[in-house]
């Protein structure tokens, strides 16, 4: 299967590592033979229709900062969209940085892939948060598949759980801790009684929070995930601007103490029950949803199965790359079935 | 006296000097008393230039049209200056060319404004190559005191369906119209010069004949006008026993049957497209392949009946490069009912053309030959479709192979030809990777590593003494 990878950061590189390490063992039994024909980053692209030498590209990236520096296959300054358009492949994997202002370059990358008949897997939430209904419509129109397991819960199969394991059931409600960074900060504050500022600094030191943590702190990251769950699982058509969002910046130690006294914890909760919202909320400590540290947890309340909670690590390069792999195999089987019809 | 359609290809009319040469050939044959209908292609490369220009202009700037049109005009004017002596005819011809090019300019502008190039408008644009060349060839004949008149395929009366880009002639309609148009001229010994490749549908919209091109026009006219022969003038002495670049001793083949000629074309020899042979096969009209630059050589005669009966079993050998071989192994797919059809279907849907197939049922193995530039797509497609789910299938490929095809009608029923071919190859220590025989039994083809390709061709050429 020929793959174009746009964005070669933590997630992209983890995916390539999986391809490299598992090539001959695990992947073979699935009949899955990935061939990465193009990789793009901010510096340009590396393209080889016969399949890139992944070990070599990785070295080039580490040494020179961009895959485009490859002597033989590098294309400095190349625009991702024209690479996507002109390179034959079955699948494009979109893993550039999330941008919630205009979702670029991810949004254009995905549209171009659709337009040239490629199936898309994205871990980038931006395009989905801003244009979910448009993108699913365009995918159908172009008869291609769009998958995004890695956008919610990192490697934890939250979307698949709701979509596949609960298929046939009617899901009425969702509540979840959808952002690991803020959950870590809130846990630290409540348990070690440190200020927000201190907790954030610690999170940054440990690599749980980015140098610019605003997307997490302000609840935007969680809100993006609410959009994806709402559209995909609840069949509601809405985008980021329709989500009511409150972050955790103004939470005081006093509020946290009060909650603790009541046997509760304050968590940043994304929910769909009527209007989609993201806001700090008190949760009982014995509720399975009340996880600590960087963990994520989502509870679905459905008509027949009742209350189900799925818990797992919500981010991480290798975890998210694992989610991409699941999507790849899902698309592979879908295509095989289509072809053999 | 014979009635003959003569078709001249792009190289034969590539410049003024060559056009004079063409006029000489026509004059000589006309002097012998033959009735002649001429079919011409566009000047060498002009058709490609028109297509390229149209593609660019559809999303380009209007100024580019002027540039392109001027260049095209200059090119044809310089050909006129070289080919025609009489100042009067020169002037008339230049005026005609100017008017035709003005029309082309308008059409290109239309395409530019609309920003769209449909198959329909592309046929319009492409037709101008032949329109221009037919005007010049006809004028050159007039200049040499041979009465001539030029026609587009449409004016000559060739009517097709509306499948633009690859139209099919409506033969009865065409017959009625062409006879009305051209018979009176032939009776008066006026030579019609007709554009090859282009025609019109029943509404008079320009169409093109697609594969087979100008040769097809020649054979259609041959059919309609009940000619004695169709002569295809090219720049080689005829159809060769093999590519002279590979085999120094390759020689011209005197005679081929229609079936053999069609087979040669499929394997890429410089011959006629099978489609273009259809009309002449129906009326048993012989076709000669001749060389404009060596008009005295007798060329290759394509016909049926006694003239081509020969003892040779292998007549020609082709080497087809730039191919890849895919091997599919596995109990899951291969051998199960309908599984081959599935594989062909999967590849067909991805526009991958299968050139050759062979299978060994006992080993649950199938090998396929495709064009090398499609190997990535083919492999990816087959891997997705056939691997995984415990199917036990395996797909692999080799892209350093070539196909060798030995052709000849007398191979049919002649025992031992295959064994002679393979022994000759084996004696050179060349390993044969795959063997297939076409259903027509007119060829035996097999696959070897590309580096042994010419060695194998030479071995067979020698074995069957094709140089004698
Ligand atoms: N990391 C996780 O745990 C995780 C989990 C789930 C989802 N995600 C999402 O997955 C995506 C990738 O995450 P990541 O952690 O791999 O991010 P990252 O390490 O920052 O990598 C981003 C990649 O995108 C490229 N890029 C950024 N802006 C670009 C532009 N304007 N044009 C072309 N290329 C551009 C970068 O190029 P350079 O290499 O040249 O800088 C880099 O290769 C993000 O959208 C993220 O939100 C991440």
């Amino acid at each position: 299967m020929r793959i174009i990878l746009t964005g070669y950061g933590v997630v992209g590189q983890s995916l390539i590592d999986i391809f490299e390490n598992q090539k001959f063992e695990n992947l073979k039994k699935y009949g899955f033979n990935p061939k990465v024909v193009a990789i793009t980053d901010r510096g340009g692209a590396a393209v080889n229709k016969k399949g890139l030498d992944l070990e070599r590209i990785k070295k080039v990236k580490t040494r020179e900062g961009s895959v485009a520096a490859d002597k033989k296959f590098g294309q400095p300054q190349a625009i991702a969209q024209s690479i996507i358009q002109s390179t034959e492949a079955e699948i494009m994997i979109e893993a550039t940085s999330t941008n919630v202002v205009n979702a670029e370059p991810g949004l254009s990358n995905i549209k171009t892939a659709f337009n040239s008949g490629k199936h898309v897997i994205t871990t980038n939430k931006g395009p989905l948060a801003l244009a979910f209904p448009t993108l699913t419509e365009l995918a159908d129109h172009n008869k291609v598949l769009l998958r995004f397991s890695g956008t919610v819960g990192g490697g934890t199969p939250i979307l698949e759980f709701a979509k596949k394991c609960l298929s046939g059931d009617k899901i009425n409600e969702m509540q979840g801790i959808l952002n690991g960074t803020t959950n870590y900060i809130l846990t630290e504050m409540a348990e070690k009684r440190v200020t927000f500022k201190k907790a954030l600094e610690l999170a940054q030191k440990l690599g749980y929070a980015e140098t610019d943590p605003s997307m997490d702190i302000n609840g935007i990251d969680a809100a993006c995930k609410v959009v994806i769950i709402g559209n995909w699982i609840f069949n509601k058509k809405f985008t980021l601007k329709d989500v009511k969002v409150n972050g955790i910046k103004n939470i005081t130690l006093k509020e946290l103490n009060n909650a603790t006294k009541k046997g509760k914890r304050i968590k940043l909760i994304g929910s769909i029950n009527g209007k989609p919202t993201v806001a700090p909320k008190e949760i009982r400590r014995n509720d399975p949803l009340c996880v600590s540290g960087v963990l994520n947890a989502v509870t679905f309340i459905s008509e027949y199965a009742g209350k189900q909670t799925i818990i797992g690590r919500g981010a991480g390069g290798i975890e998210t790359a694992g989610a991409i792999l699941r999507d790849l195999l899902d698309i592979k089987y879908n295509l095989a079935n289509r072809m053999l019809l | 006296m014979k009635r003959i359609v003569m078709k001249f290809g792009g190289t034969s009319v590539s410049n003024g000097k060559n056009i004079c040469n063409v006029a000489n050939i026509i004059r000589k044959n006309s002097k012998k008393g033959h009735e002649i209908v001429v079919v011409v292609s566009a000047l060498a490369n002009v058709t490609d230039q028109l297509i390229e220009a149209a593609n660019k202009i559809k999303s380009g700037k209007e100024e580019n049209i002027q540039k392109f049109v001027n260049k095209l005009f200059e090119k044809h004017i310089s050909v006129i200056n070289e080919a025609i002596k009489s100042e009067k005819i020169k002037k008339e011809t230049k005026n005609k060319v100017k008017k035709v090019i003005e029309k082309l300019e308008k059409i290109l502008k239309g395409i530019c404004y609309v920003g769209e190039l449909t198959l329909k408008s592309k046929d319009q644009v492409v037709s101008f190559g032949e329109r221009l060349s037919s005007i010049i060839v006809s004028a050159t004949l007039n200049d040499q005191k041979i009465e001539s008149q030029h026609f587009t395929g449409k004016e000559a009366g060739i009517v097709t369906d509306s499948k633009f880009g690859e139209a099919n002639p409506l033969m009865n309609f065409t017959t009625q119209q062409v006879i009305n148009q051209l018979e009176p001229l032939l009776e008066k010994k006026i030579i019609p010069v007709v554009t090859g490749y282009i025609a019109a549908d029943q509404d008079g919209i320009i169409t093109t004949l697609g594969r087979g091109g100008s040769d097809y026009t020649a054979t259609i006219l041959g059919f309609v006008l009940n000619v004695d022969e169709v002569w295809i003038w090219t720049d080689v002495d005829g159809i060769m026993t093999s590519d002279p670049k590979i085999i120094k001793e390759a020689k011209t083949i005197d005679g081929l049957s229609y079936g053999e000629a069609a087979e040669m074309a499929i394997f890429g020899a410089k011959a006629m497209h099978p489609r273009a042979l259809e009309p002449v096969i129906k009326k048993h009209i012989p076709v000669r392949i001749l060389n404009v630059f060596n008009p005295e050589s007798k060329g290759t005669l394509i016909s049926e009946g006694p003239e081509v009966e020969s003892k040779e079993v292998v007549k020609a050998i082709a080497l087809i490069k730039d191919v890849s071989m895919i091997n599919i192994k596995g109990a899951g797919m291969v051998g199960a009912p309908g599984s081959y059809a599935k594989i062909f279907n999967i590849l067909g849907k991805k526009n991958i053309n299968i050139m050759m197939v062979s299978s060994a049922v006992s080993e649950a193995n199938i090998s396929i030959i495709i064009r090398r530039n499609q190997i990535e797509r083919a492999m990816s497609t087959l891997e997705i479709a056939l691997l995984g789910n415990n199917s036990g299938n395996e797909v692999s490929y080799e892209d350093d192979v070539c196909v060798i095809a030995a052709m000849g009608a007398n191979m049919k029923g002649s025992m031992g030809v295959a064994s002679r071919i393979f022994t000759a190859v084996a004696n050179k220590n060349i390993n044969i990777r795959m063997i297939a025989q076409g259903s027509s039994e007119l060829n035996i083809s097999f696959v070897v590593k590309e580096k042994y390709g010419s060695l194998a061709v030479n071995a067979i050429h020698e074995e069957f003494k094709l140089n004698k």
Side-chain angles (χ1 to χ4, degrees), chain B residues 300-358:
Chain B
T300 300
L301 178 67
I302 302 170
S303 62
E304 57 170 21
E307 289 155 281
V308 290
E309 234 171 50
S310 68
K311 284 173 278 316
E312 301 136 13
V313 272
V314 171
K315 278 199 173 162
I317 308 158
L319 175 64
I320 302 132
K321 291 188 186 170
D322 300 319
V323 297
S324 295
M325 176 168 70
I326 298 176
N327 296 305
I328 304 168
K329 249 194 219 165
M333 188 71 194
V334 180
S339 57
Y340 290 1
K342 255 181 210 164
I343 292 174
F344 300 158
N345 189 18
I346 289 167
L347 292 175
K349 276 192 206 149
K350 297 282 170 187
N351 291 322
I352 295 162
N353 190 14
I354 297 172
M355 300 168 69
M356 215 174 127
V357 183
S358 95

Side-chain angles (χ1 to χ4, degrees), chain A residues 223-248:
Chain A
C224 290
K225 291 165 179 166
V226 165
V227 173
I228 293 166
I229 294 170
N231 278 271
W232 187 235
I233 306 298
F234 290 80
N235 277 320
K236 297 189 175 179
K237 291 194 192 341
F238 64 94
T239 61
L240 189 59
K241 64 177 174 7
D242 303 310
V243 185
K244 200 165 159 249
V245 190
N246 264 316
I248 62 162

Side-chain angles (χ1 to χ4, degrees), chain B residues 206-339:
Chain B
I206 298 287
T207 57
T208 61
L209 296 173
R211 294 170 303 145
S214 296
D215 291 351
Y216 200 13
T217 304
T219 55
I220 291 168
L221 291 178
F223 176 98
V224 165
L225 294 168
N226 286 315
V227 301
D228 298 293
E229 290 186 9
V230 172
W231 293 6
I232 306 291
W233 292 93
T234 61
D235 54 359
V236 290
D237 276 345
I239 298 174
M240 311 281 287
T241 53
S242 198
D243 185 345
K245 276 187 222 121
I246 301 168
I247 301 205
K248 276 196 256 31
E249 302 85 42
K251 69 177 191 60
T252 309
I253 303 170
D254 296 336
L256 286 172
S257 70
Y258 293 123
E260 286 171 333
E263 200 81 11
M264 309 261 314
I266 290 169
F267 280 97
K270 242 195 184 177
M272 286 176 78
H273 195 280
R275 192 165 177 246
L277 284 168
E278 274 168 31
V280 286
I281 293 174
K282 272 193 204 131
K283 286 205 177 166
H284 318 289
I285 301 168
V287 176
R288 282 181 204 280
I289 311 288
L290 298 163
N291 187 351
V292 265
F293 303 115
N294 183 13
E296 301 311 321
S297 81
K298 62 184 173 25
T300 300
L301 178 67
I302 302 170
S303 62
E304 57 170 21
E307 289 155 281
V308 290
E309 234 171 50
S310 68
K311 284 173 278 316
E312 301 136 13
V313 272
V314 171
K315 278 199 173 162
I317 308 158
L319 175 64
I320 302 132
K321 291 188 186 170
D322 300 319
V323 297
S324 295
M325 176 168 70
I326 298 176
N327 296 305
I328 304 168
K329 249 194 219 165
M333 188 71 194
V334 180
S339 57

Side-chain angles (χ1 to χ4, degrees), chain B residues 7-295:
Chain B
K7 177 251 165 176
F8 295 90
T11 332
S12 338
V13 294
S14 57
N15 56 41
K17 196 172 137 239
N18 290 348
I19 289 179
C20 287
N21 180 40
V22 164
N24 277 333
I25 291 174
I26 296 169
R27 188 161 40 101
K28 269 186 201 150
N29 283 290
S30 164
K31 284 258 169 66
K32 285 183 193 158
H34 297 319
E35 281 176 6
I36 298 169
V37 177
V38 173
V39 174
V40 289
S41 300
L43 267 52
N45 304 327
V46 167
T47 303
D48 289 342
Q49 286 165 9
L50 284 165
I51 293 173
E52 198 195 319
N55 276 323
K56 268 195 199 148
I57 279 159
K58 121 187 122 174
S59 50
K61 294 189 213 87
E62 206 182 328
E63 302 96 81
N64 295 342
I65 298 175
Q66 197 62 50
K67 253 187 248 158
F68 170 74
V69 161
N70 286 346
K71 234 174 94 189
L72 194 70
F73 183 67
E74 293 307 325
K75 179 173 189 154
H76 284 88
I77 292 300
S78 85
V79 169
I80 291 170
N81 285 333
E82 205 182 344
I84 299 172
K85 291 195 192 67
S86 144
E87 286 305 324
K88 186 169 155 268
I89 297 178
K90 247 189 214 176
K91 203 172 150 207
E92 277 170 18
T93 312
K94 284 180 189 173
N95 275 337
K96 273 188 190 168
V97 163
K98 188 161 170 258
K99 283 215 178 90
V100 170
I101 286 193
E102 276 165 10
K103 236 183 226 160
L104 170 66
E105 189 180 345
K106 279 186 193 149
I107 290 173
L108 288 175
K109 273 191 183 151
I111 289 168
C112 181
Y113 292 151
V114 180
E116 181 184 60
L117 183 65
T118 60
L119 284 175
K120 193 171 172 179
S121 43
K122 195 163 166 183
D123 276 0
Q124 280 265 359
V125 172
V126 168
S127 73
F128 279 87
E130 275 81 6
R131 282 200 210 181
L132 293 166
S133 67
S134 63
I135 289 171
I136 299 176
V137 170
S138 178
T140 308
L141 288 171
N142 285 329
D143 187 52
Q144 301 197 8
K145 306 282 179 304
I146 312 160
E147 253 194 284
S148 165
Q149 213 173 307
H150 60 85
F151 294 85
T152 62
K154 173 183 168 180
E155 289 160 349
I158 302 177
V159 188
T160 66
D161 60 15
S162 301
K163 198 171 169 216
F164 298 101
E166 183 152 2
N168 302 296
L170 306 178
M171 281 310 242
N172 297 339
F173 197 169
T174 300
T175 303
Q176 185 199 340
Q177 296 208 103
V178 170
I179 287 179
N180 280 340
Q181 286 298 331
L182 302 188
E183 277 290 356
L185 271 77
L186 291 176
E187 274 159 29
K188 284 187 262 170
K189 294 275 179 211
I190 299 172
I191 296 180
V193 176
V194 184
T195 60
Y197 187 48
I198 63 179
D201 69 4
Q202 57 182 339
D203 300 322
I205 313 281
I206 298 287
T207 57
T208 61
L209 296 173
R211 294 170 303 145
S214 296
D215 291 351
Y216 200 13
T217 304
T219 55
I220 291 168
L221 291 178
F223 176 98
V224 165
L225 294 168
N226 286 315
V227 301
D228 298 293
E229 290 186 9
V230 172
W231 293 6
I232 306 291
W233 292 93
T234 61
D235 54 359
V236 290
D237 276 345
I239 298 174
M240 311 281 287
T241 53
S242 198
D243 185 345
K245 276 187 222 121
I246 301 168
I247 301 205
K248 276 196 256 31
E249 302 85 42
K251 69 177 191 60
T252 309
I253 303 170
D254 296 336
L256 286 172
S257 70
Y258 293 123
E260 286 171 333
E263 200 81 11
M264 309 261 314
I266 290 169
F267 280 97
K270 242 195 184 177
M272 286 176 78
H273 195 280
R275 192 165 177 246
L277 284 168
E278 274 168 31
V280 286
I281 293 174
K282 272 193 204 131
K283 286 205 177 166
H284 318 289
I285 301 168
V287 176
R288 282 181 204 280
I289 311 288
L290 298 163
N291 187 351
V292 265
F293 303 115
N294 183 13

Side-chain angles (χ1 to χ4, degrees), chain A residues 1-2 28-33 35 49-50 88 90 331-333 335-336 338-341, chain B residues 333 342 345-346 349-350 373 375-377 379-381 383-390 397 399:
Chain A
M1 188 141 62
R2 292 168 299 174
K28 206 164 181 183
K29 71 169 182 261
Y30 295 102
F32 174 62
N33 184 13
K35 202 185 253 182
K49 70 168 186 167
K50 291 194 171 305
E88 246 191 62
E90 280 76 31
I331 291 180
K332 144 106 179 90
Y333 286 120
L335 294 187
R338 271 193 202 179
M339 284 184 200
L340 295 173
L341 268 183
Chain B
M333 188 71 194
K342 255 181 210 164
N345 189 18
I346 289 167
K349 276 192 206 149
K350 297 282 170 187
N373 61 7
I375 188 65
E376 287 85 13
R377 189 192 304 170
M379 282 300 290
S380 198
T381 305
E383 283 173 358
I384 290 169
L386 303 182
L387 300 188
N389 273 339
N390 297 321
Y397 75 98
D399 66 359

